Structure formats: C-alpha cells, structure tokens
Coordinates of all heavy atoms in Angstrom, one line a residue:
M1 N 112.8 -81.1 -45.0 CA 113.2 -82.2 -44.1 C 114.0 -81.7 -43.0 O 115.0 -81.0 -43.4 CB 113.8 -83.3 -44.9 CG 114.3 -84.4 -44.1 SD 114.9 -85.9 -45.0 CE 116.2 -85.2 -45.9
N2 N 113.8 -82.0 -41.9 CA 114.6 -81.7 -40.7 C 115.4 -82.7 -40.0 O 115.2 -83.0 -38.9 CB 113.6 -81.0 -39.6 CG 112.9 -79.8 -40.1 OD1 113.4 -79.0 -40.9 ND2 111.6 -79.6 -39.6
L3 N 116.2 -83.3 -40.9 CA 117.1 -84.4 -40.4 C 118.4 -84.1 -41.0 O 118.7 -83.9 -42.1 CB 116.5 -85.8 -41.0 CG 117.3 -87.0 -40.5 CD1 117.2 -87.2 -39.0 CD2 116.8 -88.2 -41.2
R4 N 119.4 -84.1 -40.0 CA 120.8 -83.9 -40.4 C 121.6 -85.2 -40.1 O 121.6 -85.5 -38.9 CB 121.4 -82.7 -39.6 CG 122.8 -82.5 -40.0 CD 123.4 -81.2 -39.3 NE 123.2 -81.3 -37.9 CZ 124.2 -81.9 -36.9 NH1 125.3 -82.3 -37.4 NH2 123.9 -81.8 -35.7
P5 N 122.3 -85.9 -41.1 CA 122.8 -87.0 -40.8 C 124.2 -86.8 -40.1 O 124.8 -85.8 -40.2 CB 123.1 -87.7 -42.2 CG 123.1 -86.5 -43.1 CD 122.1 -85.5 -42.5
L6 N 124.6 -87.7 -39.3 CA 125.8 -87.6 -38.6 C 127.1 -88.2 -39.2 O 126.9 -89.1 -40.0 CB 125.8 -88.2 -37.2 CG 124.6 -87.6 -36.3 CD1 124.5 -88.5 -34.9 CD2 124.9 -86.3 -36.0
Q7 N 128.3 -87.6 -38.8 CA 129.5 -88.2 -39.4 C 129.5 -88.3 -41.0 O 129.3 -87.4 -41.7 CB 130.0 -89.5 -38.7 CG 130.3 -89.2 -37.2 CD 130.9 -90.4 -36.5 OE1 131.2 -91.4 -37.0 NE2 131.0 -90.2 -35.2
D8 N 129.8 -89.6 -41.4 CA 130.0 -89.8 -42.9 C 128.7 -90.4 -43.4 O 128.6 -91.0 -44.5 CB 131.1 -90.7 -43.2 CG 131.0 -92.0 -42.6 OD1 130.3 -92.3 -41.7 OD2 131.6 -93.0 -43.3
R9 N 127.5 -90.2 -42.9 CA 126.2 -90.8 -43.3 C 125.6 -89.8 -44.4 O 125.7 -88.5 -44.3 CB 125.3 -91.0 -42.1 CG 125.7 -92.2 -41.3 CD 124.7 -92.5 -40.3 NE 125.1 -93.7 -39.6 CZ 126.0 -93.7 -38.6 NH1 126.6 -92.5 -38.2 NH2 126.3 -94.9 -37.9
I10 N 124.8 -90.3 -45.2 CA 124.3 -89.5 -46.4 C 122.8 -90.0 -46.5 O 122.3 -91.2 -46.2 CB 125.0 -89.9 -47.5 CG1 126.5 -89.4 -47.6 CG2 124.3 -89.3 -48.9 CD1 127.3 -90.1 -48.6
I11 N 122.0 -89.1 -46.7 CA 120.4 -89.3 -46.9 C 120.2 -89.3 -48.4 O 120.5 -88.3 -49.1 CB 119.5 -88.5 -46.2 CG1 119.9 -88.6 -44.7 CG2 118.1 -88.8 -46.5 CD1 119.0 -87.7 -43.8
V12 N 119.6 -90.4 -48.9 CA 119.4 -90.5 -50.5 C 118.0 -90.7 -50.8 O 117.3 -91.6 -50.1 CB 120.3 -91.6 -51.0 CG1 120.0 -91.8 -52.6 CG2 121.8 -91.4 -50.8
K13 N 117.4 -90.0 -51.8 CA 116.1 -90.3 -52.2 C 116.3 -91.1 -53.5 O 116.9 -90.7 -54.4 CB 115.3 -89.0 -52.4 CG 113.9 -89.1 -52.9 CD 113.3 -87.8 -53.2 CE 111.8 -88.1 -53.6 NZ 111.2 -86.8 -53.9
R14 N 115.6 -92.2 -53.6 CA 115.7 -93.0 -54.8 C 115.1 -92.4 -56.0 O 114.1 -91.8 -56.0 CB 114.9 -94.4 -54.6 CG 115.6 -95.4 -53.6 CD 114.7 -96.6 -53.8 NE 115.1 -97.5 -52.6 CZ 116.0 -98.6 -52.6 NH1 116.6 -98.7 -53.8 NH2 116.3 -99.2 -51.7
I15 N 115.8 -92.6 -57.2 CA 115.2 -92.0 -58.5 C 114.5 -93.2 -59.1 O 115.1 -94.3 -59.3 CB 116.3 -91.5 -59.4 CG1 117.1 -90.4 -58.6 CG2 115.8 -91.1 -60.7 CD1 118.2 -89.7 -59.4
E16 N 113.2 -93.1 -59.5 CA 112.5 -94.2 -60.0 C 113.0 -94.5 -61.5 O 113.3 -93.5 -62.3 CB 111.0 -93.7 -60.1 CG 110.3 -93.7 -58.7 CD 110.4 -95.0 -58.0 OE1 110.2 -96.0 -58.6 OE2 110.7 -94.9 -56.8
E17 N 113.1 -95.8 -61.8 CA 113.4 -96.3 -63.1 C 112.3 -96.1 -64.1 O 111.2 -96.0 -63.7 CB 114.0 -97.6 -62.9 CG 115.2 -97.9 -62.0 CD 116.5 -97.4 -62.5 OE1 116.6 -97.3 -63.7 OE2 117.3 -96.9 -61.7
E18 N 112.8 -96.4 -65.2 CA 111.7 -96.3 -66.4 C 110.8 -97.6 -66.2 O 111.2 -98.6 -65.8 CB 112.3 -96.4 -67.8 CG 113.1 -95.2 -68.1 CD 112.2 -94.0 -68.5 OE1 111.2 -94.2 -68.9 OE2 112.6 -92.9 -68.2
T19 N 109.4 -97.3 -66.6 CA 108.5 -98.5 -66.5 C 108.3 -99.1 -67.7 O 107.5 -100.0 -67.9 CB 107.1 -98.0 -66.0 OG1 106.6 -96.9 -66.8 CG2 107.3 -97.5 -64.5
K20 N 109.2 -98.6 -68.8 CA 109.0 -99.3 -70.1 C 110.4 -99.7 -70.6 O 111.4 -99.0 -70.4 CB 108.4 -98.2 -71.1 CG 107.7 -98.7 -72.3 CD 107.4 -97.5 -73.2 CE 105.9 -97.2 -73.1 NZ 105.5 -96.3 -74.2
T21 N 110.5 -100.8 -71.2 CA 111.8 -101.2 -71.8 C 112.1 -100.5 -73.1 O 111.2 -99.8 -73.6 CB 111.7 -102.7 -72.1 OG1 110.8 -103.0 -73.2 CG2 111.4 -103.5 -70.9
A22 N 113.2 -100.7 -73.6 CA 113.6 -100.1 -74.8 C 112.7 -100.4 -76.1 O 112.5 -99.7 -77.0 CB 115.1 -100.4 -75.2
G23 N 112.2 -101.8 -76.0 CA 111.3 -102.3 -77.0 C 109.9 -101.9 -76.8 O 109.0 -102.2 -77.6
G24 N 109.5 -101.1 -75.7 CA 108.2 -100.6 -75.5 C 107.3 -101.4 -74.8 O 106.1 -101.2 -74.5
I25 N 107.9 -102.5 -74.1 CA 107.2 -103.4 -73.1 C 107.0 -102.7 -71.8 O 108.0 -102.3 -71.3 CB 107.8 -104.7 -72.9 CG1 107.9 -105.4 -74.4 CG2 107.0 -105.7 -72.1 CD1 108.7 -106.6 -74.4
L26 N 105.8 -102.6 -71.2 CA 105.5 -102.0 -69.9 C 106.0 -103.0 -68.8 O 105.6 -104.2 -68.9 CB 104.1 -101.6 -69.7 CG 103.7 -100.4 -70.5 CD1 102.3 -100.2 -70.3 CD2 104.4 -99.3 -70.2
I27 N 106.7 -102.7 -67.7 CA 107.1 -103.5 -66.8 C 106.2 -103.3 -65.5 O 106.0 -102.1 -65.1 CB 108.6 -103.2 -66.2 CG1 109.5 -103.4 -67.4 CG2 109.0 -104.1 -65.1 CD1 110.9 -102.9 -67.1
P28 N 105.4 -104.3 -65.1 CA 104.5 -104.2 -64.0 C 105.2 -103.9 -62.6 O 106.4 -104.2 -62.4 CB 103.7 -105.5 -64.0 CG 104.7 -106.5 -64.6 CD 105.4 -105.8 -65.5
D29 N 104.5 -103.3 -61.6 CA 105.1 -103.0 -60.4 C 105.7 -104.2 -59.7 O 106.6 -104.1 -59.0 CB 104.2 -102.3 -59.5 CG 103.9 -100.9 -60.0 OD1 104.7 -100.3 -60.7 OD2 102.8 -100.3 -59.6
T30 N 105.0 -105.4 -59.9 CA 105.4 -106.6 -59.1 C 106.7 -107.2 -59.8 O 107.4 -107.8 -59.0 CB 104.3 -107.7 -59.2 OG1 104.0 -107.8 -60.6 CG2 103.0 -107.2 -58.5
A31 N 107.1 -106.8 -60.9 CA 108.3 -107.3 -61.5 C 109.5 -106.4 -61.4 O 110.6 -106.7 -61.8 CB 108.1 -107.6 -62.9
K32 N 109.3 -105.1 -61.0 CA 110.3 -104.2 -60.9 C 111.1 -104.4 -59.6 O 110.7 -104.8 -58.6 CB 109.7 -102.9 -60.8 CG 109.3 -102.2 -62.1 CD 109.1 -100.7 -62.0 CE 107.8 -100.3 -61.5 NZ 107.5 -98.9 -61.6
E33 N 112.4 -104.1 -59.9 CA 113.4 -104.1 -58.7 C 113.4 -102.6 -58.1 O 113.2 -101.6 -58.9 CB 114.8 -104.7 -59.1 CG 114.8 -106.1 -59.4 CD 116.2 -106.6 -59.8 OE1 117.1 -105.9 -59.4 OE2 116.3 -107.6 -60.2
K34 N 113.9 -102.6 -56.9 CA 114.1 -101.2 -56.4 C 115.3 -100.5 -57.2 O 116.3 -101.2 -57.4 CB 114.4 -101.3 -54.8 CG 113.1 -101.7 -54.2 CD 113.3 -101.5 -52.6 CE 112.0 -101.8 -51.9 NZ 112.1 -101.6 -50.6
P35 N 115.1 -99.3 -57.4 CA 116.2 -98.6 -58.2 C 117.5 -98.6 -57.3 O 117.5 -98.4 -56.2 CB 115.6 -97.2 -58.4 CG 114.3 -97.1 -58.0 CD 114.0 -98.3 -57.2
Q36 N 118.7 -98.5 -57.9 CA 119.9 -98.4 -57.4 C 120.5 -97.1 -57.7 O 121.8 -96.9 -57.5 CB 120.8 -99.5 -57.9 CG 120.3 -100.9 -57.5 CD 121.3 -102.0 -57.9 OE1 121.5 -102.1 -59.2 NE2 121.7 -102.9 -57.2
R37 N 119.8 -96.1 -58.1 CA 120.2 -94.8 -58.3 C 119.4 -93.8 -57.4 O 118.3 -94.2 -57.1 CB 119.8 -94.4 -59.8 CG 120.7 -95.2 -60.8 CD 120.1 -95.0 -62.2 NE 119.9 -93.7 -62.5 CZ 119.9 -93.1 -63.7 NH1 120.2 -93.8 -64.7 NH2 119.7 -91.8 -63.9
G38 N 120.0 -92.7 -57.0 CA 119.3 -91.8 -56.1 C 119.9 -90.4 -56.2 O 121.0 -90.3 -56.8
E39 N 119.4 -89.5 -55.5 CA 119.7 -88.2 -55.4 C 120.1 -87.9 -54.0 O 119.2 -88.2 -53.1 CB 118.8 -87.2 -55.9 CG 119.2 -85.6 -55.9 CD 118.2 -84.8 -56.5 OE1 117.3 -85.2 -57.2 OE2 118.4 -83.5 -56.4
I40 N 121.2 -87.3 -53.7 CA 121.6 -87.0 -52.2 C 120.7 -85.9 -51.7 O 120.7 -84.8 -52.4 CB 123.1 -86.8 -52.1 CG1 123.8 -88.0 -52.5 CG2 123.5 -86.4 -50.7 CD1 125.3 -87.9 -52.5
V41 N 120.1 -86.0 -50.6 CA 119.3 -84.9 -50.0 C 120.1 -84.2 -48.8 O 120.0 -83.0 -48.8 CB 118.0 -85.6 -49.4 CG1 117.2 -84.6 -48.7 CG2 117.2 -86.3 -50.5
A42 N 120.9 -84.9 -48.1 CA 121.6 -84.3 -47.0 C 122.9 -85.1 -46.8 O 122.9 -86.4 -47.0 CB 120.8 -84.3 -45.8
V43 N 123.9 -84.4 -46.3 CA 125.2 -85.1 -46.0 C 125.7 -84.7 -44.7 O 125.6 -83.5 -44.3 CB 126.3 -84.6 -47.2 CG1 127.6 -85.2 -46.9 CG2 125.7 -84.9 -48.6
G44 N 126.4 -85.6 -44.0 CA 126.9 -85.4 -42.7 C 128.2 -84.5 -42.8 O 128.7 -84.3 -44.0
N45 N 128.9 -84.1 -41.8 CA 130.1 -83.3 -41.8 C 131.3 -84.2 -42.3 O 132.3 -83.6 -42.8 CB 130.3 -82.7 -40.5 CG 129.3 -81.6 -40.0 OD1 128.7 -81.0 -41.0 ND2 129.0 -81.4 -38.7
G46 N 131.3 -85.4 -41.9 CA 132.5 -86.2 -42.1 C 132.9 -87.1 -41.0 O 132.4 -86.9 -39.8
K47 N 133.8 -88.0 -41.4 CA 134.2 -89.1 -40.4 C 135.3 -88.5 -39.4 O 136.2 -87.9 -40.0 CB 134.6 -90.3 -41.1 CG 134.8 -91.5 -40.2 CD 135.0 -92.8 -41.0 CE 134.9 -94.0 -40.0 NZ 134.9 -95.1 -40.9
K48 N 135.3 -88.7 -38.2 CA 136.3 -88.3 -37.3 C 137.3 -89.5 -37.1 O 136.9 -90.7 -36.9 CB 135.7 -88.0 -35.9 CG 135.0 -86.8 -35.9 CD 134.5 -86.4 -34.5 CE 133.9 -85.0 -34.4 NZ 133.5 -84.7 -33.1
T49 N 138.6 -89.1 -37.3 CA 139.7 -89.9 -37.0 C 140.0 -90.1 -35.5 O 139.3 -89.5 -34.7 CB 141.0 -89.6 -37.8 OG1 141.4 -88.3 -37.2 CG2 140.7 -89.4 -39.3
E50 N 140.9 -91.1 -35.2 CA 141.1 -91.3 -33.7 C 141.7 -90.1 -33.1 O 141.7 -89.9 -31.9 CB 142.1 -92.6 -33.6 CG 141.3 -93.9 -34.0 CD 142.3 -95.1 -33.9 OE1 143.4 -94.9 -33.2 OE2 141.8 -96.1 -34.3
D51 N 142.5 -89.3 -33.8 CA 143.1 -88.1 -33.2 C 142.2 -87.0 -33.3 O 142.7 -85.9 -33.0 CB 144.5 -87.8 -33.9 CG 144.3 -87.7 -35.4 OD1 143.2 -87.9 -36.0 OD2 145.4 -87.3 -36.0
G52 N 141.0 -87.1 -33.6 CA 140.0 -85.9 -33.6 C 139.8 -85.1 -34.9 O 139.1 -84.3 -34.9
K53 N 140.6 -85.5 -35.9 CA 140.4 -84.7 -37.2 C 139.3 -85.2 -37.8 O 138.8 -86.3 -37.7 CB 141.7 -84.9 -38.1 CG 143.0 -84.3 -37.4 CD 144.1 -84.5 -38.4 CE 145.4 -84.0 -37.8 NZ 146.6 -84.2 -38.6
V54 N 138.6 -84.3 -38.7 CA 137.5 -84.6 -39.4 C 137.8 -84.9 -40.9 O 138.3 -83.8 -41.4 CB 136.3 -83.6 -39.2 CG1 135.1 -83.9 -40.1 CG2 135.8 -83.5 -37.8
I55 N 137.5 -85.9 -41.4 CA 137.7 -86.2 -43.0 C 136.4 -85.8 -43.7 O 135.4 -86.5 -43.5 CB 138.1 -87.6 -43.2 CG1 139.4 -88.0 -42.5 CG2 138.3 -87.9 -44.7 CD1 139.6 -89.4 -42.5
P56 N 136.4 -84.7 -44.4 CA 135.0 -84.4 -45.0 C 134.6 -85.2 -46.0 O 135.3 -86.0 -46.6 CB 135.5 -83.0 -45.7 CG 136.8 -83.0 -45.9 CD 137.4 -83.9 -44.8
V57 N 133.2 -85.4 -46.2 CA 132.7 -86.2 -47.2 C 132.9 -85.6 -48.7 O 132.7 -84.3 -48.7 CB 131.1 -86.3 -46.9 CG1 130.4 -87.1 -47.9 CG2 130.9 -86.8 -45.6
D58 N 133.1 -86.4 -49.6 CA 133.4 -85.9 -51.0 C 132.1 -85.6 -51.7 O 132.2 -85.1 -52.9 CB 134.1 -87.1 -51.7 CG 135.6 -87.2 -51.3 OD1 136.2 -86.2 -50.6 OD2 136.2 -88.3 -51.4
L59 N 131.0 -86.0 -51.2 CA 129.6 -85.9 -52.0 C 129.0 -84.6 -51.3 O 129.3 -84.2 -50.3 CB 128.9 -87.0 -51.7 CG 129.4 -88.4 -52.1 CD1 128.6 -89.5 -51.7 CD2 129.5 -88.4 -53.7
K60 N 127.9 -84.1 -52.1 CA 127.2 -83.0 -51.7 C 125.7 -83.2 -52.1 O 125.4 -84.1 -52.9 CB 127.6 -81.7 -52.3 CG 127.7 -81.6 -53.9 CD 128.3 -80.4 -54.3 CE 128.3 -80.3 -55.8 NZ 128.8 -81.4 -56.6
A61 N 124.9 -82.4 -51.5 CA 123.4 -82.5 -51.7 C 123.1 -82.2 -53.1 O 123.8 -81.2 -53.7 CB 122.6 -81.6 -50.8
G62 N 122.3 -83.0 -53.8 CA 122.0 -82.7 -55.2 C 122.8 -83.6 -56.2 O 122.4 -83.8 -57.4
D63 N 123.9 -84.3 -55.8 CA 124.6 -85.3 -56.5 C 123.7 -86.5 -56.9 O 122.9 -87.0 -56.0 CB 125.8 -85.8 -55.8 CG 127.0 -84.7 -55.9 OD1 126.9 -83.8 -56.6 OD2 128.0 -85.0 -55.1
K64 N 123.7 -87.0 -58.0 CA 123.0 -88.2 -58.5 C 124.0 -89.3 -58.3 O 125.2 -89.2 -58.9 CB 122.4 -88.1 -59.8 CG 121.7 -86.9 -60.1 CD 120.3 -87.3 -60.6 CE 119.4 -86.2 -60.9 NZ 119.2 -85.0 -60.1
V65 N 123.7 -90.4 -57.6 CA 124.7 -91.5 -57.3 C 124.1 -92.8 -57.5 O 122.9 -93.1 -57.7 CB 125.1 -91.4 -55.7 CG1 125.8 -90.1 -55.5 CG2 123.8 -91.5 -54.9
L66 N 125.0 -93.8 -57.6 CA 124.8 -95.2 -57.7 C 125.1 -95.9 -56.5 O 126.0 -95.5 -55.9 CB 125.6 -95.9 -58.8 CG 125.1 -95.5 -60.2 CD1 126.2 -96.1 -61.2 CD2 123.8 -96.0 -60.6
F67 N 124.3 -96.9 -56.0 CA 124.7 -97.4 -54.7 C 124.3 -99.0 -54.8 O 123.5 -99.4 -55.7 CB 123.9 -96.9 -53.5 CG 122.5 -96.6 -53.8 CD1 121.5 -97.6 -53.4 CD2 121.9 -95.5 -54.3 CE1 120.2 -97.4 -53.6 CE2 120.6 -95.2 -54.4 CZ 119.8 -96.1 -54.1
G68 N 124.8 -99.8 -53.9 CA 124.6 -101.2 -53.9 C 123.1 -101.6 -53.7 O 122.3 -100.9 -53.1
K69 N 122.8 -102.8 -54.2 CA 121.3 -103.3 -54.1 C 120.8 -103.3 -52.7 O 119.6 -103.1 -52.5 CB 121.2 -104.7 -54.7 CG 120.0 -105.2 -55.1 CD 120.0 -106.4 -55.8 CE 118.6 -106.7 -56.4 NZ 118.8 -107.8 -57.4
Y70 N 121.7 -103.7 -51.7 CA 121.2 -103.8 -50.4 C 121.8 -102.8 -49.5 O 121.9 -103.0 -48.3 CB 121.4 -105.2 -49.9 CG 120.8 -106.2 -50.6 CD1 121.5 -107.1 -51.6 CD2 119.4 -106.5 -50.6 CE1 121.0 -108.1 -52.4 CE2 118.7 -107.4 -51.5 CZ 119.6 -108.2 -52.3 OH 118.8 -109.1 -53.2
A71 N 122.3 -101.7 -50.1 CA 122.9 -100.7 -49.3 C 122.0 -99.9 -48.4 O 120.8 -99.6 -48.8 CB 123.9 -99.7 -50.1
G72 N 122.4 -99.4 -47.3 CA 121.6 -98.5 -46.5 C 120.5 -99.0 -45.8 O 120.1 -100.2 -45.8
T73 N 119.7 -98.1 -45.0 CA 118.6 -98.4 -44.1 C 117.5 -97.6 -44.7 O 117.6 -96.4 -44.8 CB 118.9 -98.2 -42.7 OG1 120.1 -98.9 -42.3 CG2 117.7 -98.4 -41.8
E74 N 116.4 -98.3 -45.0 CA 115.2 -97.4 -45.4 C 114.5 -96.8 -44.3 O 114.3 -97.3 -43.2 CB 114.1 -98.4 -46.2 CG 114.7 -98.9 -47.4 CD 113.7 -99.7 -48.1 OE1 112.6 -99.9 -47.5 OE2 114.0 -100.3 -49.2
I75 N 114.2 -95.4 -44.4 CA 113.5 -94.7 -43.4 C 112.4 -93.9 -44.0 O 112.5 -93.7 -45.3 CB 114.5 -93.7 -42.7 CG1 115.1 -92.6 -43.8 CG2 115.5 -94.4 -41.8 CD1 115.9 -91.6 -43.0
K76 N 111.4 -93.5 -43.3 CA 110.3 -92.8 -43.8 C 110.0 -91.6 -43.0 O 110.0 -91.7 -41.8 CB 108.9 -93.7 -43.8 CG 107.8 -93.2 -44.7 CD 106.7 -94.3 -44.8 CE 105.9 -94.0 -46.0 NZ 104.9 -95.0 -46.1
I77 N 110.0 -90.4 -43.8 CA 109.9 -89.1 -43.2 C 108.9 -88.3 -43.8 O 109.0 -88.2 -45.0 CB 111.2 -88.3 -43.1 CG1 112.3 -89.1 -42.4 CG2 111.0 -86.9 -42.5 CD1 113.7 -88.6 -42.6
E78 N 107.9 -87.9 -43.1 CA 106.8 -87.1 -43.5 C 106.1 -87.8 -44.9 O 105.8 -87.1 -45.9 CB 107.3 -85.8 -43.9 CG 107.7 -84.9 -42.8 CD 108.3 -83.7 -43.0 OE1 108.4 -83.3 -44.2 OE2 108.8 -82.9 -42.1
G79 N 106.0 -89.1 -44.8 CA 105.4 -89.9 -45.9 C 106.3 -90.1 -47.1 O 105.8 -90.8 -48.0
Q80 N 107.6 -89.6 -47.0 CA 108.5 -89.9 -48.2 C 109.5 -90.9 -47.8 O 110.0 -90.8 -46.6 CB 109.2 -88.6 -48.5 CG 110.0 -88.5 -49.6 CD 109.1 -88.6 -50.9 OE1 108.8 -89.7 -51.4 NE2 108.8 -87.4 -51.5
E81 N 109.8 -91.8 -48.6 CA 110.9 -92.8 -48.4 C 112.3 -92.4 -48.7 O 112.5 -91.8 -49.8 CB 110.6 -94.1 -49.0 CG 109.4 -94.9 -48.4 CD 109.2 -96.3 -49.0 OE1 110.0 -96.8 -49.7 OE2 108.0 -96.8 -48.9
Y82 N 113.3 -92.6 -47.8 CA 114.6 -92.2 -48.0 C 115.5 -93.5 -47.6 O 115.1 -94.3 -46.9 CB 115.0 -91.1 -47.2 CG 114.2 -89.9 -47.5 CD1 113.1 -89.4 -46.8 CD2 114.7 -88.9 -48.5 CE1 112.4 -88.1 -47.1 CE2 114.0 -87.7 -48.9 CZ 112.9 -87.4 -48.1 OH 112.3 -86.3 -48.4
L83 N 116.8 -93.4 -48.0 CA 117.8 -94.4 -47.6 C 118.8 -93.5 -46.8 O 119.2 -92.5 -47.2 CB 118.5 -95.0 -48.8 CG 117.7 -96.0 -49.4 CD1 118.5 -96.5 -50.8 CD2 117.6 -97.3 -48.6
I84 N 119.3 -94.1 -45.7 CA 120.4 -93.5 -45.0 C 121.5 -94.5 -45.0 O 121.3 -95.6 -44.7 CB 120.0 -93.0 -43.5 CG1 121.1 -92.2 -42.9 CG2 119.7 -94.3 -42.7 CD1 120.7 -91.5 -41.6
M85 N 122.7 -94.1 -45.5 CA 123.8 -94.9 -45.7 C 125.2 -94.1 -45.5 O 125.2 -92.9 -45.3 CB 123.8 -95.5 -47.1 CG 123.9 -94.6 -48.2 SD 123.7 -95.1 -49.9 CE 122.1 -95.6 -50.0
R86 N 126.2 -95.0 -45.4 CA 127.5 -94.3 -45.2 C 128.0 -94.1 -46.6 O 127.7 -94.5 -47.6 CB 128.5 -95.3 -44.5 CG 128.0 -95.7 -43.0 CD 129.2 -96.3 -42.3 NE 128.9 -96.4 -40.9 CZ 129.0 -95.5 -39.9 NH1 129.6 -94.4 -40.3 NH2 128.7 -95.8 -38.7
E87 N 129.1 -93.1 -46.5 CA 129.6 -92.7 -47.8 C 130.3 -94.0 -48.5 O 130.3 -94.0 -49.7 CB 130.7 -91.7 -47.5 CG 131.5 -91.1 -48.7 CD 132.6 -90.1 -48.4 OE1 133.1 -90.1 -47.2 OE2 133.0 -89.3 -49.3
D88 N 130.9 -94.9 -47.8 CA 131.4 -96.0 -48.3 C 130.5 -96.9 -49.2 O 130.8 -97.7 -50.1 CB 131.9 -97.0 -47.2 CG 133.1 -96.3 -46.6 OD1 133.7 -95.4 -47.0 OD2 133.5 -96.8 -45.5
D89 N 129.1 -96.9 -49.0 CA 128.1 -97.5 -49.7 C 127.9 -97.0 -51.1 O 127.2 -97.7 -51.8 CB 126.8 -97.6 -48.9 CG 126.9 -98.4 -47.6 OD1 127.7 -99.2 -47.4 OD2 126.2 -98.1 -46.6
I90 N 128.3 -95.7 -51.2 CA 128.1 -95.2 -52.7 C 129.1 -95.7 -53.6 O 130.4 -95.7 -53.3 CB 128.3 -93.6 -52.5 CG1 127.3 -92.9 -51.5 CG2 128.1 -93.0 -53.9 CD1 125.8 -93.1 -51.9
L91 N 128.6 -96.2 -54.7 CA 129.6 -96.8 -55.7 C 130.0 -95.8 -56.8 O 131.3 -95.9 -57.2 CB 128.8 -97.9 -56.5 CG 128.2 -99.0 -55.7 CD1 127.4 -99.9 -56.6 CD2 129.3 -99.8 -54.9
G92 N 129.4 -94.8 -57.1 CA 129.9 -93.6 -58.0 C 128.8 -92.6 -58.0 O 127.6 -92.6 -57.6
V93 N 129.2 -91.6 -58.7 CA 128.5 -90.3 -59.0 C 128.2 -90.3 -60.5 O 129.1 -90.4 -61.3 CB 129.3 -89.0 -58.5 CG1 128.4 -87.8 -58.8 CG2 129.6 -89.1 -57.0
I94 N 126.8 -90.0 -60.8 CA 126.6 -89.9 -62.2 C 126.7 -88.5 -62.6 O 126.1 -87.5 -61.9 CB 125.0 -90.3 -62.3 CG1 124.8 -91.8 -61.8 CG2 124.6 -90.2 -63.8 CD1 123.4 -92.2 -61.7
E95 N 127.5 -88.2 -63.6 CA 127.8 -86.9 -64.1 C 127.1 -86.6 -65.4 O 126.7 -87.5 -66.1 CB 129.2 -86.7 -64.2 CG 129.9 -86.7 -62.9 CD 131.4 -86.4 -63.0 OE1 131.9 -86.3 -64.1 OE2 132.0 -86.3 -61.9

C-alpha cells in the first residue's frame, strides 16, 4: 500500500470476527456487526503542537487494537477496505 497517514492518523485493517458462537450456532452475514478490532497497517509521524514540537504516536504498524463502533473513516485502496482514524479513536492495544 502506498499511503502514508499524516500527523496522528492511523490506518487500520479490520480483523474479521468469528462466524460461529460458542454454542456452535452460525451467524449469517446480515446479522453480523462490523468488527471493532483491527491491525494497524500504517502510522503517521505524530501530532504537532503550537510551538512546532512533534508528539510521536504511541502505536506502531502490526499492533492489534480495539476502536469505537463508529470510529474512523472507511476508505478502499486496491480493492481492500481500511479505516483511517486519529490516535485518540483507539481504545486499547490487544496484547
């Protein structure tokens, strides 16, 4: 992918959830919600303060993260769907 996010923006690829419940019931596509987990693909350099200093982003490419249900903006690059969002939209890192 040839896209570099600016400032504190992050590009995330959604991680698909299980299509089966713990009890073995299959969930159809129409009943599934969009996943709120993803893997970071690219990270910007950081946010600039008013005095010109750059505050680096705490995340890095490859981190698995949780984000809000309506966080970010959906984009499509080379047939693949991604989310672009700010660092503030990330709720946590899955370790």
Side-chain angles (χ1 to χ4, degrees):
M1 176 174 57
N2 296 327
L3 180 64
R4 181 177 53 92
L6 299 176
Q7 294 188 2
D8 66 335
R9 289 184 177 84
I10 297 165
I11 298 177
V12 177
K13 180 178 179 184
R14 288 186 195 266
I15 297 174
E16 292 301 319
E17 299 288 332
E18 291 288 325
T19 58
K20 203 185 251 190
T21 65
I25 299 171
L26 291 175
I27 302 171
D29 289 341
T30 56
K32 282 198 274 186
E33 291 187 14
K34 290 192 175 183
Q36 294 175 309
R37 297 168 43 156
E39 182 176 349
I40 295 177
V41 177
V43 178
N45 292 332
K47 191 170 189 171
K48 286 188 180 179
T49 61
E50 290 180 11
D51 58 351
K53 294 181 183 175
V54 176
I55 301 170
V57 178
D58 290 335
L59 304 164
K60 62 185 179 306
D63 283 349
K64 305 238 188 306
V65 295
L66 292 173
F67 48 87
K69 191 172 196 171
Y70 302 107
T73 303
E74 292 183 359
I75 58 173
K76 199 169 195 176
I77 301 170
E78 298 172 359
Q80 190 72 272
E81 289 187 14
Y82 297 97
L83 284 171
I84 188 164
M85 60 183 72
R86 292 194 176 273
E87 181 181 22
D88 296 343
D89 293 335
I90 302 293
L91 302 175
V93 177
I94 301 169
E95 295 184 354

